[in-house]
Amino acid sequence: MSIAEKEEEKIVPIAPREVEPEEPFAGEARMDLTDDLLHKVFSYLDDVSLCRAAIVCRQWRVASAHEDFWKILNFEGRRVTPKQVRNLCQRYPNAIELNLKCKIVEDLLALDAIRSLRALQVLSLGEGLYGDPFFHALSAECASLRTLSISDAVLGSGASQEIQIRHDHLLKLDIVKCRVLRVHVRGSHLQGLSLRRTGTAAVILHCPRLLRLDISSCHKLSDTGVRAAATTCPLLSELDISHCSYVSDETLREIAIACSNLRSLDASNCPNISLEGVRMPVLVSLTLVNCEGINSSSMTAISHCYMLEELLLDFCWLLTTVSLDLPRLKKISLTNCRKFSELALRSPALTSIDVTKCPMLNRIDISSSSLQKLVLNQQQNLATILLQCPSLYEVDLTDCDSLSNSLCEVFSNGGGCPRLRSLILDSCEGLTAIRLSSSSLLYLSLAGCRTVSSIDLQCPELQRLLLDGCDHLSRASLKPVGLRSLNLGICPHLKTLVIRADQMVALDLRGCGILRQAEIICPSLLSLDASYCSQLGDDCLAATSNACSLIQSLVLASCPSVGPSGLLALKQLPGLTVLDLSYTFLTDLSPIYEACPQLEVLRLSACKYLANDALVALHGGKLLPDLQELDLSYGSLDRNAIDGLLSECPHLKHVSLNGCSNVFDIEWPSASTEEDTHMHDADREEQPMEVSAESNCLSLMDLKLDCPKLVSLCLQASGIEEGELEEAIRDCSLLETLDLRNCPKIQTSTLVKIRAIRPGIKRLYNSWGTPG
């Protein structure tokens, strides 16, 4: 509890003294507000705030004392004296609610209070001793009383501890956690009575209009006592007898006969009831939690509750099967029923079902036109599911290991769930083949289904498919589906793929190393990553190019089966701008020059079989004129090939030479003639501001740059020396980023000189922790 809350508890809600209006004292603060405005503002304050407002000025003190603000006198938890209570009750005789749940209360103080408050309607009492004089006074002097609540008190006079409460206008009576042996209540208008956790041994009621009776946890009340109390109330509609361990079926049968309007019954933790012979046709809510006598035979009695809407059978250890046909049932709960194995429900109104932690559950058969969501997690013995639920849109069967492939028929067209949108079958290790045909399914998750080897989906609306952990998937047929993106790279054993998805824009097949047959018909596809698909050949590439003509980015890294004919088929991709052929055995790039004239990015990392003259065709920008990025990392091209590329291809923006062991020095650009110089200068004027040269070559020692618009230079792990670096960047006036990490010949002193040469550098990366 905060300090502010502790201070607030100390404030006693005693209204300010009434004072006659007079002139304010000299120097006293006065808030010049109209009385009507103050009255309106103060109507929103509680008693503590009113007491605080009273100390501001005389006007506020007078306004806060108005009886309209003191209709409710609340002393609960307050530090008050009996005198303060009496004075406040005498001062506001028109109060309608009084709360005396504080430790100083005694029956004489309560008597004084109720005698002062003739209009009292609600009275709450706490710890204390209340005898016959007090209850007699209630009847005689509190004609307006409607609600009486007594808790944690001792009732009755002398050793008998018997009380009689007679009040013809009382509507609600709560006697909670009180010590009393015998309770006699007479109230011609009483509608609600609670004796919860009260140690009474006898209850005598003369309450012909009583609607709600709560005698839960009255452990001293016998079976006969419960019967006598309830059967005297013919209009009773709500009865709570939970934790009354002596209650029997005979008592329930008599209650059902005497209280023909009973609509709610809570008999939880009553071990002796089994509902044998009990008939409650108008019952709406039935709670039988932890009832040891409830078993499958009890369903006969429940099946006659035609009006039943809510049924709770949690922790009923002997219950094995539930078969009910209840037209109004909306909610059923069967959690923690250890022997429960079979559920059959026919209820058009069913909207909620909970059968968690039922380890023996084997079969579920549900028919409902209202059920929208079904969650059956961790039912490891559940093998059969039958559903006729036209409104069902979400099903979660995570960790249901006993489900078989026939489950797919339930969720396919004609299986009883025509509106199903989400299906979760995570970690259902009993499934080996998924075959679904659904016109409504939007989301399917098979994460952790390690035994699934084949998938056949005909779900034209499917937008999301999760296959994480499907390690043994070897065949996938997805036609048609509504997916926009799909990652199959997490399925390393995939051999055959057929996919038709008109909306798909990105397909990831990275790591499908044994994929041999792939039929990809995705007319909207923009990006295809087939890295490490070593078995895919030219025929597959040609067919894919023909069916997916909008591809812009194609990654074929580590695809050694792709040859010239496959590359020539890329002519069918007029929008292809990014092509990755890294880690392949290419020797000739002419098929690329012919098929992909619009390329902007070409990655040839680790293509060690390229001839030295393979890039000559790029000189002058006549071929691949839009090429901006070229990756030659870890290649075997010699210095002449690279020098020619850098000097003759002014349209390039980014060249990566990481790990090129044959590179000793770089000169970019290097013009041999004055005419060439003018040509290259003109070309460079048209280039944008961002140009990047990158190297990760320890053998790189000499670097010459004539790039006035260079903004980024990466020389990680290169062998360049301090002097060569200073000279290289001297004319790069726009340089902003310089990466010198892991350069063994660059020292910390070099960084200071670089800053002096190029003060415009914003980011200087190094390996010594010196801020860049």
Side-chain angles (χ1 to χ4, degrees):
M1 183 180 292
S2 66
I3 297 177
E5 290 173 335
K6 292 180 179 179
E7 291 298 324
E8 182 173 308
E9 278 195 345
K10 297 178 182 179
I11 297 178
V12 180
I14 303 300
R17 295 176 301 166
E18 294 182 357
V19 295
E20 294 296 331
E22 56 184 71
E23 293 298 324
F25 297 117
E28 180 185 13
R30 179 177 177 84
M31 305 295 292
D32 191 13
L33 300 175
T34 64
D35 292 340
D36 290 342
L37 180 57
L38 276 179
H39 192 90
K40 181 66 175 177
V41 173
F42 284 3
S43 66
Y44 295 98
L45 303 182
D46 57 13
D47 50 5
V48 174
S49 300
L50 285 169
C51 293
R52 288 174 173 168
I55 63 177
V56 175
C57 64
R58 287 182 182 274
Q59 183 191 23
W60 285 33
R61 189 186 312 164
V62 173
S64 63
H66 197 283
E67 66 176 357
D68 287 351
F69 308 139
W70 299 92
K71 295 291 185 181
I72 299 176
L73 304 180
N74 185 4
F75 296 97
E76 183 174 2
R78 309 291 187 182
R79 297 180 181 179
V80 293
T81 64
K83 181 179 179 180
Q84 290 174 321
V85 174
R86 290 188 179 97
N87 289 341
L88 197 61
C89 291
Q90 292 172 3
R91 193 190 230 175
Y92 296 104
N94 293 323
I96 60 173
E97 184 174 338
L98 175 63
N99 190 331
L100 288 175
K101 291 185 177 181
C102 48
K103 294 184 178 181
I104 55 92
V105 175
E106 54 188 16
D107 55 351
L108 293 178
L109 177 60
L111 279 171
D112 291 344
I114 63 177
R115 286 167 179 165
S116 300
L117 305 175
R118 297 294 181 175
L120 190 64
Q121 297 179 13
V122 180
L123 175 61
S124 300
L125 302 173
E127 299 177 11
L129 174 62
Y130 303 95
D132 291 336
F134 171 75
F135 292 105
H136 291 157
L138 282 178
S139 303
E141 303 185 34
C142 289
S144 300
L145 192 63
R146 298 293 183 268
T147 301
L148 174 61
S149 176
I150 306 174
S151 60
D152 301 293
V154 178
L155 308 182
S157 304
S160 64
Q161 287 191 346
E162 178 180 349
I163 61 169
Q164 293 188 15
I165 302 177
R166 300 184 179 184
H167 200 293
D168 289 336
H169 299 287
L170 198 63
L171 299 178
K172 182 180 179 183
L173 173 61
D174 291 339
I175 299 176
V176 181
K177 295 175 62 177
C178 292
R179 293 177 56 188
V180 59
L181 293 180
R182 187 180 179 88
V183 177
H184 186 172
V185 180
R186 181 183 294 273
S188 58
H189 288 81
L190 191 65
Q191 297 180 1
L193 172 62
S194 175
L195 298 172
R196 188 173 66 258
R197 300 179 66 183
T198 293
T200 181
V203 178
I204 302 174
L205 303 179
H206 297 279
C207 308
R209 297 188 181 182
L210 192 67
L211 301 177
R212 298 175 297 276
L213 176 60
D214 183 353
I215 49 178
S216 60
S217 300
C218 291
H219 301 295
K220 295 182 179 179
L221 196 60
S222 65
D223 184 37
T224 304
V226 172
R227 187 187 315 167
T231 55
T232 58
C233 307
L235 299 182
L236 198 65
S237 64
E238 298 180 18
L239 176 62
D240 189 343
I241 55 174
S242 59
H243 296 277
C244 293
S245 56
Y246 301 110
V247 175
S248 65
D249 285 337
E250 181 181 357
T251 293
L252 289 182
R253 287 194 292 269
E254 294 199 18
I255 291 175
I257 295 172
C259 306
S260 58
N261 293 319
L262 192 64
R263 296 174 61 82
S264 176
L265 173 63
D266 188 345
S268 300
N269 294 280
C270 295
N272 296 323
I273 65 172
S274 64
L275 299 183
E276 181 180 356
V278 178
R279 298 292 184 270
M280 297 180 178
V282 298
L283 201 64
V284 174
S285 176
L286 178 59
T287 303
L288 299 171
V289 175
N290 196 23
C291 291
E292 298 177 8
I294 296 298
N295 53 43
S296 299
S297 300
S298 304
M299 297 304 106
T300 302
I302 296 177
S303 65
H304 287 85
C305 300
Y306 305 113
M307 306 293 289
L308 196 63
E309 296 181 2
E310 183 179 40
L311 177 61
L312 306 181
L313 298 171
D314 304 334
F315 294 96
C316 291
W317 310 117
L318 298 180
L319 189 62
T320 57
T321 62
V322 172
S323 180
L324 294 171
D325 188 348
L326 297 172
R328 295 177 179 267
L329 187 65
K330 296 180 180 179
K331 177 182 179 180
I332 185 170
S333 180
L334 291 155
T335 65
N336 293 280
C337 296
R338 295 178 181 175
K339 298 182 179 181
F340 181 59
S341 62
E342 185 172 342
L343 173 64
L345 290 176
R346 298 291 181 272
S347 178
L350 187 67
T351 58
S352 174
I353 177 172
D354 189 354
V355 289
T356 57
K357 297 183 179 179
C358 297
M360 301 303 293
L361 183 62
N362 177 262
R363 177 185 174 88
I364 283 183
D365 185 353
I366 301 175
S367 177
S368 170
S369 57
S370 302
L371 187 65
Q372 296 183 348
K373 184 176 181 179
L374 180 62
V375 179
L376 299 171
N377 291 342
Q378 298 180 346
Q379 301 294 340
Q380 297 184 353
N381 285 311
L382 182 62
T384 304
I385 296 179
L386 300 176
L387 300 174
Q388 289 296 326
C389 303
S391 297
L392 191 66
Y393 69 86
E394 181 177 346
V395 175
D396 187 347
L397 299 174
T398 300
D399 287 318
C400 293
D401 293 339
S402 297
L403 292 174
S404 62
N405 296 334
S406 61
L407 173 75
C408 298
E409 298 177 5
V410 178
F411 302 116
S412 293
N413 293 331
C417 305
R419 297 183 182 178
L420 187 66
R421 294 186 295 179
S422 174
L423 178 58
I424 300 175
L425 299 173
D426 294 350
S427 301
C428 293
E429 299 192 2
L431 300 175
T432 58
I434 303 297
R435 187 180 182 86
L436 279 172
S437 176
S438 172
S439 58
S440 62
L441 195 63
L442 301 177
Y443 175 81
L444 175 62
S445 178
L446 299 170
C449 293
R450 295 178 296 179
T451 56
V452 171
S453 59
S454 68
I455 295 177
D456 189 343
L457 301 181
Q458 298 180 34
C459 305
E461 301 298 324
L462 187 66
Q463 297 179 4
R464 190 177 182 191
L465 174 63
L466 296 185
L467 298 172
D468 303 65
C470 294
D471 299 336
H472 293 83
L473 182 65
S474 61
R475 177 185 174 275
S477 176
L478 313 174
K479 60 174 186 178
V481 291
L483 298 169
R484 290 184 57 82
S485 64
L486 179 63
N487 181 8
L488 289 172
I490 53 180
C491 304
H493 292 88
L494 189 65
K495 296 180 180 179
T496 304
L497 172 65
V498 178
I499 179 169
R500 191 179 75 197
D502 292 344
Q503 305 299 322
M504 182 169 291
V505 296
L507 178 60
D508 190 343
L509 300 176
R510 284 179 296 178
C512 297
I514 60 176
L515 181 63
R516 297 175 181 176
Q517 299 179 12
E519 181 181 337
I520 302 173
I521 305 175
C522 303
S524 300
L525 194 66
L526 300 178
S527 173
L528 174 60
D529 190 340
S531 303
Y532 304 102
C533 294
S534 56
Q535 302 297 321
L536 289 182
D538 292 341
D539 293 342
C540 177
L541 183 57
T544 301
S545 301
N546 182 48
C548 310
S549 59
L550 297 182
I551 291 179
Q552 298 177 359
S553 175
L554 179 60
V555 181
L556 299 173
S558 296
C559 293
S561 299
V562 174
S565 62
L567 295 177
L568 285 173
L570 300 183
K571 290 181 179 180
Q572 302 174 87
L573 305 179
L576 186 65
T577 57
V578 178
L579 179 61
D580 190 340
L581 294 168
S582 301
Y583 295 90
T584 58
F585 300 137
L586 289 177
T587 58
D588 183 13
L589 298 180
S590 57
I592 299 176
Y593 301 149
E594 180 181 348
C596 311
Q598 69 285 350
L599 275 184
E600 297 178 2
V601 177
L602 178 60
R603 298 190 177 100
L604 301 171
S605 179
C607 291
K608 297 186 177 182
Y609 295 93
L610 281 177
N612 282 328
D613 59 352
L615 300 174
V616 173
L618 294 178
H619 294 182
K622 294 180 180 179
L623 294 179
L624 306 188
D626 297 324
L627 191 65
Q628 299 178 11
E629 180 178 338
L630 180 61
D631 188 352
L632 298 172
S633 301
Y634 305 100
S636 58
L637 296 179
D638 60 18
R639 173 185 173 181
N640 293 330
I642 294 176
D643 280 350
L645 177 72
L646 297 180
S647 61
E648 300 296 337
C649 299
H651 53 291
L652 289 177
K653 292 182 182 179
H654 188 109
V655 177
S656 179
L657 301 172
N658 297 325
C660 293
S661 57
N662 294 330
V663 176
F664 296 91
D665 56 1
I666 296 177
E667 184 174 350
W668 186 14
S670 175
S672 57
T673 66
E674 184 177 353
E675 180 180 355
D676 291 339
T677 302
H678 292 311
M679 180 188 67
H680 297 321
D681 290 342
D683 289 339
R684 288 195 300 270
E685 288 297 325
E686 297 177 357
Q687 294 184 46
M689 295 298 292
E690 291 194 10
V691 183
S692 174
E694 182 174 330
S695 177
N696 193 26
C697 312
L698 188 61
S699 57
L700 178 62
M701 301 177 183
D702 188 13
L703 176 65
K704 292 182 173 61
L705 299 175
D706 183 13
C707 304
K709 295 189 177 183
L710 186 69
V711 296
S712 175
L713 178 61
C714 178
L715 296 171
Q716 286 190 43
S718 66
I720 193 168
E721 297 183 353
E722 176 182 327
E724 293 293 337
L725 176 62
E726 294 176 9
E727 186 63 28
I729 66 173
R730 189 173 300 279
D731 295 327
C732 300
S733 58
L734 298 181
L735 190 63
E736 295 181 355
T737 301
L738 179 59
D739 192 339
L740 298 173
R741 285 173 290 191
N742 301 315
C743 294
K745 298 182 179 181
I746 301 298
Q747 306 299 323
T748 54
S749 58
T750 308
L751 303 180
V752 178
K753 298 179 180 179
I754 291 174
R755 283 292 188 189
I757 297 173
R758 291 265 66 88
I761 292 180
K762 298 179 181 179
R763 291 169 293 275
L764 181 57
Y765 301 104
N766 57 83
S767 301
W768 303 280
T770 304

